[in-house]
Amino acid sequence: MPFLLLIRHGENDYVKTGKLAGHIPEVHLNERGQKQAAELAEALANALIKAVYSSPLERARETAAPLAEKLGLEVQIRPGLVETGVGEWAGMELKALRKLPEWKIVQNAPSRFRFPGGESFVECQARLVSEIESIAKAHKPEEIIAIVSHSDPIKLLTAYYLGMPLDHFQRLGCDTASVTMLMLGEGGVGLYKLNQR
């Protein structure tokens, strides 16, 4: 099974201004995010990456593009890598959301939470694991593949593969343009990097 570089997209104005973007279309990288994507591509230019996969959302695709170009690869869009479906919370300010009684459930018992009009964290994690397993099966052992996604999906995947309870996934860090590296092996999973920038 391959090495996975789980890459969070670069900064955008939703992240910068503390809003929850969810699946809102046309959320593009801002100037700093574009710089982060270019720096990431430069940092990984000599890695023996065999494929670049991305969430379909613009901010992820725009982060994946410079890396794929640097490596001479195409970005392969995978809908299963999309951000958590936050439903009616999309576009809301985190400051306002933190005042809601449901926010404590999101932070302390996320396995019991479903976003209004969206998906649950349990459903999101299952979707992501299914997608990653499908991608991994398409690659040889020890191949390195880059997967550009979003903060919660990366943390949910990391928690799953490390055997952490879903309710602890919020304890993990995932900064913009960071890399978390997992090795999926037949005998288990190794975490080589977490939130590396």
Side-chain angles (χ1 to χ4, degrees), residues 129-140:
V129 170
S130 176
E131 191 72 8
I132 291 298
E133 289 296 319
S134 174
I135 289 170
K137 285 178 182 155
H139 292 275
K140 296 176 185 173

Side-chain angles (χ1 to χ4, degrees), residues 167-181:
D167 285 339
H168 294 175
F169 93 96
Q170 298 283 26
R171 299 176 183 183
L172 300 171
C174 190
D175 296 326
T176 54
S178 66
V179 178
T180 293
M181 185 176 184

Side-chain angles (χ1 to χ4, degrees), residues 94-147:
L94 290 170
K95 188 173 17 175
L97 292 170
R98 287 186 186 107
K99 295 176 183 174
L100 297 175
E102 295 92 341
W103 188 256
K104 287 183 182 176
I105 301 171
V106 171
Q107 296 303 311
N108 301 313
S111 65
R112 297 177 48 228
F113 185 76
R114 173 184 295 283
F115 288 97
E119 68 184 334
S120 71
F121 285 110
V122 172
E123 291 166 337
C124 182
Q125 188 179 57
R127 163 175 59 81
L128 291 158
V129 170
S130 176
E131 191 72 8
I132 291 298
E133 289 296 319
S134 174
I135 289 170
K137 285 178 182 155
H139 292 275
K140 296 176 185 173
E142 300 188 19
E143 283 188 348
I144 301 170
I145 55 176
I147 296 170

